[in-house]
Amino acid sequence: MNLLVNVTPLNAAEAWADFERSDFGTAPTLRLRPLDFDPDLVQRDLYDLEVENVDDPALHTLFRAKRDEIARQITALEDRDTSRFLYGSLQLYGTVAPPLAAAAEELLETIPPQAPSTQTVTAAAFADAARAEFERYRGVYPDFPVHVEVRDDVSELMVSFGRLLIPESAAFRADRVEPLLHHEVGTHVVTYQNGARQPLKLLTIGLPGYDETQEGLAVLAEYLTGGLDPRRLRVLAARVVAVGKMLDGAGFLDIFDSLRADHRIPARTAWSIAIRVVVGGGSVKDAIYLRGITRILDALAEGSRLDVLLVGKLALDHIPLVQDLLDRGVLHAPWVRPRWLDVSGAQERLERLHAGMTVTDLYEGDVAA
């Protein structure tokens, strides 16, 4: 069951072209793919799992929580394109609390608007760079699988079950290629493969509520490699603002217009942010990127180490449980060390984070237009 792919519009490129032709005046109609599974049968299989036979109290609680999360995902997918989808999204990802909203507004006020970048690379060129990145990992870990697909049925760059999926119609900022590879391959793929080497296979698809920490870790990878530039920080903040407006009842056009008028977000970027928020009937998922990196920064300042988070896909709240399993020899140290930890300047940046920094402190200055 693939949650990400099933809430990704099939017609994003065509919808953007229509929206642009309408002079940004007509809200797009987004088309989602039919579900390729029977929700009733999947729910039945899910609750046939004999979780009650797991004797270890911590693992029993973990499995029950994951079963509940998967059940909520199934229900959310059934509710796509209805008002109920939003409530399922809130159950899965949480709402925008006032401190997060304030942090997003502060970032947008602190960081000057940037001119859109004119240097881009095609999906095919990005795929070549991605395969080269996979090969770098294979040079150190020969069994590291290579899965890169350029697809015409996805509208966003994503990792799904260890596979990097690239939208065929996408164009990527040239200066974002390396940070995106550290985000997608160096974090999402690496933690998937590390989880696959553990006896607790749940670490591949993620422990309950892992998404926020996983995205925060991926954003951290961008920062440590010098790739979390002002444009990217503004996008992460604008996503939170857009989710907040959607929760207040704003529709696509209101969100799009507000991002452009109030925060001077470029039209193409505002479009991307807005459709991700309204897709399916309303999604709050995009707020987890800024919330995730904020919580990672707090954890680092409190002395947490990153190695535990690399064992697989888990949430910050699971660190004590995973550390206990590591100490008892149930789990193993991570198989793959992400390259972003060894990029020039990464350790110096990490030391500054351990000393204590806020998300606004991640802004390191302006960039050229």
Side-chain angles (χ1 to χ4, degrees):
M1 188 190 70
N2 195 318
L3 182 66
L4 274 179
V5 167
N6 280 307
V7 293
T8 299
L10 288 168
N11 64 326
E14 297 91 336
W16 161 252
D18 290 342
F19 185 58
E20 196 173 26
R21 277 194 296 270
S22 76
D23 196 24
F24 309 140
T26 304
T29 299
L30 302 175
R31 191 174 74 253
L32 302 176
R33 74 198 67 228
L35 296 181
D36 60 358
F37 64 91
D38 186 321
D40 290 339
L41 295 180
V42 174
Q43 291 274 22
R44 185 184 305 166
D45 288 343
L46 181 64
Y47 283 96
D48 276 345
L49 296 173
E50 297 177 350
V51 174
E52 67 276 6
N53 292 336
V54 178
D55 293 328
D56 185 285
L59 290 177
H60 178 265
T61 300
L62 191 68
F63 290 146
R64 286 195 64 194
K66 187 62 181 183
R67 183 175 63 185
D68 177 69
E69 182 180 70
I70 294 172
R72 293 176 189 275
Q73 291 174 345
I74 296 168
T75 300
L77 289 177
E78 285 188 281
D79 290 339
R80 295 177 309 167
D81 293 330
T82 75
S83 60
R84 297 188 302 275
F85 181 80
L86 172 58
Y87 300 107
S89 182
L90 284 165
Q91 287 181 320
L92 289 168
Y93 303 113
T95 190
V96 175
L100 181 64
E105 291 286 355
E106 182 180 5
L107 279 170
L108 289 169
E109 291 174 6
T110 301
I111 304 173
Q114 309 291 324
S117 176
T118 56
Q119 295 183 328
T120 61
V121 301
T122 64
F126 186 87
D128 289 340
R131 292 186 187 98
E133 182 70 4
F134 273 92
E135 290 299 333
R136 291 186 189 97
Y137 280 99
R138 283 178 64 83
V140 182
Y141 310 95
D143 294 333
F144 195 85
V146 178
H147 296 297
V148 178
E149 301 176 20
V150 178
R151 301 262 294 259
D152 62 1
D153 63 341
V154 297
S155 59
E156 298 286 346
L157 185 67
M158 67 178 74
V159 169
S160 176
F161 300 107
R163 298 170 298 136
L164 180 64
L165 309 184
I166 303 169
E168 185 179 57
S169 61
F172 300 89
R173 273 173 44 197
D175 58 350
R176 285 286 299 156
V177 171
E178 185 176 356
L180 282 172
L181 292 177
H182 288 304
H183 181 118
E184 303 291 349
V185 180
T187 306
H188 295 327
V189 175
V190 163
T191 51
Y192 179 91
Q193 295 300 337
N194 282 343
R197 293 289 177 124
Q198 298 291 349
L200 182 60
K201 299 303 180 188
L202 198 57
L203 285 164
T204 58
I205 64 168
L207 302 189
Y210 80 94
D211 300 85
E212 176 186 296
T213 299
Q214 182 76 185
E215 296 299 353
L217 191 64
V219 173
L220 175 70
E222 297 180 45
Y223 172 73
L224 293 183
T225 56
L228 192 60
D229 65 22
R231 292 189 186 97
R232 174 63 165 166
L233 274 170
R234 294 192 100 243
V235 166
L236 298 182
R239 287 177 176 179
V240 173
V241 170
V243 168
K245 289 188 176 299
M246 183 269 295
L247 291 174
D248 288 339
F252 173 86
L253 290 178
D254 287 338
I255 295 170
F256 175 82
D257 290 340
S258 175
L259 290 175
R260 296 184 70 200
D262 299 339
H263 303 294
R264 297 175 63 186
I265 303 293
R268 190 65 179 83
T269 304
W271 150 271
S272 177
I273 293 169
I275 63 167
R276 287 168 62 111
V277 168
V278 302
V279 69
S283 172
V284 298
K285 182 179 184 291
D286 271 3
I288 69 174
Y289 292 81
L290 193 65
R291 189 166 66 224
I293 185 61
T294 299
R295 291 197 63 199
I296 291 274
L297 294 181
D298 291 342
L300 290 173
E302 292 168 3
S304 292
R305 297 177 296 116
L306 291 178
D307 53 347
V308 180
L309 294 177
L310 300 174
V311 166
K313 296 183 184 296
L314 61 139
L316 285 170
D317 295 340
H318 298 129
I319 287 179
L321 168 63
V322 172
Q323 187 61 60
D324 175 63
L325 294 174
L326 285 166
D327 293 342
R328 288 194 278 143
V330 177
L331 299 180
H332 320 303
W335 172 46
V336 177
R337 176 182 171 88
R339 283 200 327 110
W340 46 262
L341 280 172
D342 300 315
V343 169
S344 176
Q347 289 303 313
E348 290 80 359
R349 283 190 169 92
L350 189 57
E351 288 174 8
R352 293 201 295 271
L353 297 184
H354 278 297
M357 288 174 60
T358 69
V359 69
T360 308
D361 295 330
L362 299 180
Y363 171 50
E364 295 184 334
D366 219 342
V367 296

